[in-house]
Amino acid sequence: MTKNIFPKNFLWGGATAANQFEGAYNVDGKGLSVQDVTPQGGIPAQEGDLNPLITEEPTKDNLKLEGIDFYHRYKEDIALFAEMGFKVFRLSIAWSRIFPNGDETEPNEAGLQFYDDVFDELAKYGIEPLVTLSHYETPLHLARQYNGWASRDLIGFYERYARTVFTRYKDKVKYWLTFNEVNSVLHAPFMSGGIATPVEELSKQDLYQAAHHELVASALATKVGHEINPDFKIGCMVLAMPAYPMTSNPLDQLAVRDFENQNYLFSDIHARGKYPNYIKRYFEENNIEIQFAPEDEEILKNTVDFISFSYYMSVAQAHDPENYNSGRGNIMGGINNPYLEASEWGWQIDPVGLRLVLNHFYDRYQLPLFIVENGLGAKDVLVDGPNGPTVEDDYRIDYLQKHLVQVGEALKDGVELLGYTTWGPIDLVSASTAQLSKRYGFIYVDRNDDGSGSLARYKKKSFNWYKEVIATNGASLFD
Ligand code: BG6
């Protein structure tokens, strides 16, 4: 019973983002993205402002400019994914490869050709692409000229971009995600939304209005995509972070609700096609008045085919947070939970939280789910092995094993799940800190935080572990 718990066509694989691994930041006509001018990563340091970290021009210390050079090594890397048995590979299209400034009327053919080549290579091995349209890589010109998603103009530019790639790849790509971690625009407005205004000058009104623009753009892309190919499966992608009440004080449970509703707002609108009632009260009490264009209400009714999400950690919440130790994790944070251990970067590890998240989403929407990010960022040590350099990453295997066992529990609970892609199956540059030493991969990449390294690829111990998980469709997790 336990052994056959994963559905027959379950999509096992890994997930990446163009700006974190392609490199080739200015090759074949690519324009700059917001990532090319944030050498230290995209998360504002604690309460501080991100802007001091933004440079006028790309600087040599920005590891993302070269990434791990997937742009030139995609054949070798895809062969390794195929060796692990991947059924799906999540990648993003770098918007600024297709529209270098974001507001042109004609796309850049060389950029389009690159993704044709990548999709063809994946097809050789029967690997299904899962494509994110916008993964923290808004064209820089749109940030500078329009203030990113603070401007309604971006809806039109995004629609043109989406239409272009949907049309071009309509026979090569079936699964699409509109915005990576769409709820993160409230917390990391420059990285997530290309909003150049300093964080401390942004009001809640500004942030929720920008979020509204993305939500309308997402629904519009969903509509356009289904018109171009009715077989497309288009999903939203949210950052999932469940919260526990710190005590059984009812006020702590209310704090949990407030925290979680901020995130559910995004999946609710994508799945139900309208703003939920609970947010109206929040908007009123915070003097937020979303400006709707006449067509917005109708556009939002274009709901998604599935809900996808990233899951790394959970937090605790309380009505009196000042009485506890808090920390930041994946973009957001909360109170440290004394029952949980944390990663080297302070992200609290909680496999059971994944089962809970899956159940929450499924109970709420009865739509298929897709876990499109999960994994452990850790420092690895390269050692000599019988077949060459390797990493004995038992800690990574342990993390993934425990999370996948909970996925199995959720499947037994009745959740419908399309697939699971681990974050960074090959080491890549971290989004929050722009380090390479924060590694997630099954494949080690010889590149260091100071930019040194040969870029050679080596299989870690987890490579064969994941290969076995996929080959047995999850049964080996329960041996
Ligand atoms: C998610 C992002 O927030 O977490 C990824 O979608 C990111 O882009 C991943 O890389 C892990 O975060 P980090 O900061 O460790 O790279």
Side-chain angles (χ1 to χ4, degrees):
M1 171 65 186
T2 321
K3 295 211 161 194
N4 299 323
I5 199 72
F6 286 84
K8 196 158 150 273
N9 297 320
F10 193 73
L11 293 168
W12 296 97
T16 57
N19 72 86
Q20 293 173 256
F21 88 141
E22 279 181 1
Y25 80 102
N26 59 357
V27 170
D28 291 337
K30 181 180 171 295
L32 295 179
S33 87
V34 294
Q35 294 288 349
D36 298 323
V37 294
T38 45
Q40 298 183 52
I43 309 301
Q46 297 302 332
E47 301 313 311
D49 176 14
L50 174 63
N51 283 9
L53 308 180
I54 300 173
T55 57
E56 283 298 312
E57 293 299 328
T59 51
K60 276 207 309 295
D61 59 338
N62 188 343
L63 291 180
K64 290 169 278 188
L65 304 184
E66 194 183 352
I68 58 158
D69 199 30
F70 177 80
Y71 194 79
H72 297 110
R73 294 164 194 252
Y74 67 91
K75 289 190 180 171
E76 179 194 343
D77 292 341
I78 290 171
L80 287 166
F81 301 150
E83 192 182 330
M84 272 188 280
F86 277 23
K87 314 285 182 218
V88 64
F89 178 56
R90 176 176 175 225
L91 71 166
S92 68
I93 294 179
W95 185 350
S96 64
R97 278 198 198 287
I98 311 301
F99 289 97
N101 283 327
D103 59 358
E104 296 91 339
T105 49
E106 293 304 318
N108 170 34
E109 175 55 31
L112 287 167
Q113 187 57 48
F114 170 65
Y115 294 103
D116 262 319
D117 296 345
V118 170
F119 298 144
D120 291 346
E121 196 65 20
L122 290 169
K124 268 195 209 166
Y125 299 99
I127 301 175
E128 189 89 55
L130 165 62
V131 175
T132 318
L133 290 173
S134 182
H135 191 132
Y136 297 162
E137 48 212 2
T138 307
L140 184 60
H141 173 75
L142 297 184
R144 290 192 169 145
Q145 195 70 29
Y146 301 88
N147 208 15
W149 283 97
S151 160
R152 205 184 155 87
D153 290 342
L154 263 75
I155 299 175
F157 302 140
Y158 179 88
E159 184 198 351
R160 183 180 303 146
Y161 158 59
R163 194 180 281 282
T164 303
V165 296
F166 284 155
T167 307
R168 176 82 170 213
Y169 308 123
K170 68 177 187 316
D171 300 321
K172 297 186 181 183
V173 178
K174 177 175 168 192
Y175 293 97
W176 300 89
L177 307 177
T178 51
F179 287 92
N180 182 63
E181 300 187 330
V182 60
N183 45 334
S184 64
V185 68
L186 301 179
H187 311 277
F190 183 71
M191 178 172 80
S192 180
I195 300 170
T197 306
V199 175
E200 65 274 12
E201 289 171 26
L202 285 168
S203 64
K204 284 186 177 164
Q205 168 72 37
D206 298 332
L207 291 171
Y208 279 94
Q209 186 64 45
H212 176 73
H213 297 148
E214 289 195 21
L215 288 160
V216 172
S218 180
L220 191 54
T222 306
K223 175 175 183 285
V224 169
H226 285 143
E227 283 163 7
I228 291 172
N229 184 347
D231 292 334
F232 276 174
K233 296 288 174 211
I234 305 176
C236 61
M237 193 308 203
V238 292
L239 189 168
M241 194 177 285
Y244 303 102
M246 200 57 189
T247 72
S248 49
N249 183 335
L251 294 178
D252 286 357
Q253 184 60 43
L254 270 183
V256 165
R257 179 183 175 273
D258 289 347
F259 176 81
E260 292 194 332
N261 276 354
Q262 257 197 354
N263 299 328
Y264 279 134
L265 171 67
F266 290 81
S267 46
D268 281 353
I269 295 172
H270 275 99
R272 297 173 173 160
K274 58 180 180 149
Y275 277 78
N277 277 352
Y278 59 77
I279 204 67
K280 293 183 183 151
R281 174 174 184 174
Y282 177 81
F283 283 172
E284 257 168 47
E285 291 177 356
N286 288 279
N287 299 317
I288 297 168
E289 206 173 319
I290 304 292
Q291 303 301 309
F292 267 66
E295 64 275 21
D296 287 3
E297 208 176 299
E298 210 44 40
I299 293 174
L300 287 178
K301 291 183 184 157
N302 293 284
T303 54
V304 288
D305 300 310
F306 65 97
I307 307 284
S308 81
F309 62 91
S310 62
Y311 177 79
Y312 295 90
M313 57 176 287
S314 64
V315 288
Q317 296 290 339
H319 71 287
D320 53 350
E322 62 285 357
N323 291 330
Y324 302 102
N325 290 328
S326 293
R328 196 159 181 153
N330 185 21
I331 300 181
M332 301 170 209
I335 296 170
N336 298 334
N337 183 336
Y339 293 94
L340 300 178
E341 288 180 359
S343 79
E344 290 169 86
W345 276 264
W347 298 21
Q348 298 187 112
I349 300 171
D350 180 15
V352 172
L354 179 53
R355 175 180 176 187
L356 292 171
V357 163
L358 284 161
N359 275 283
H360 289 164
F361 278 132
Y362 197 65
D363 290 350
R364 217 170 162 103
Y365 309 121
Q366 287 90 48
L367 279 175
L369 307 178
F370 207 141
I371 303 167
V372 296
E373 285 186 34
N374 176 232
L376 179 72
K379 290 194 177 117
D380 286 339
V381 180
L382 205 58
V383 295
D384 286 332
N387 306 313
T390 187
V391 177
E392 300 285 335
D393 56 344
D394 294 282
Y395 38 90
R396 183 168 293 110
I397 294 172
D398 185 60
Y399 177 101
L400 294 171
Q401 158 93 21
K402 288 187 171 135
H403 282 76
L404 280 168
V405 165
Q406 292 302 321
V407 173
E409 292 296 328
L411 290 169
K412 286 195 246 174
D413 292 336
V415 160
E416 197 183 337
L417 186 63
L418 297 171
Y420 172 86
T421 58
T422 64
W423 177 249
I426 183 165
D427 292 343
L428 37 67
V429 184
S430 148
S432 56
T433 63
Q435 293 168 297
L436 242 154
S437 55
K438 191 179 187 192
R439 297 173 183 272
Y440 288 84
F442 305 115
I443 302 162
Y444 184 94
V445 177
D446 179 22
R447 194 167 189 225
N448 306 305
D449 287 347
D450 62 4
S452 63
S454 65
L455 290 170
R457 277 63 167 149
Y458 302 114
K459 295 174 197 170
K460 304 181 194 176
K461 185 174 178 182
S462 55
F463 184 100
N464 284 327
W465 172 82
Y466 197 43
K467 186 177 172 181
E468 181 69 7
V469 170
I470 298 176
T472 61
N473 199 27
S476 66
L477 294 163
F478 306 98
D479 285 345

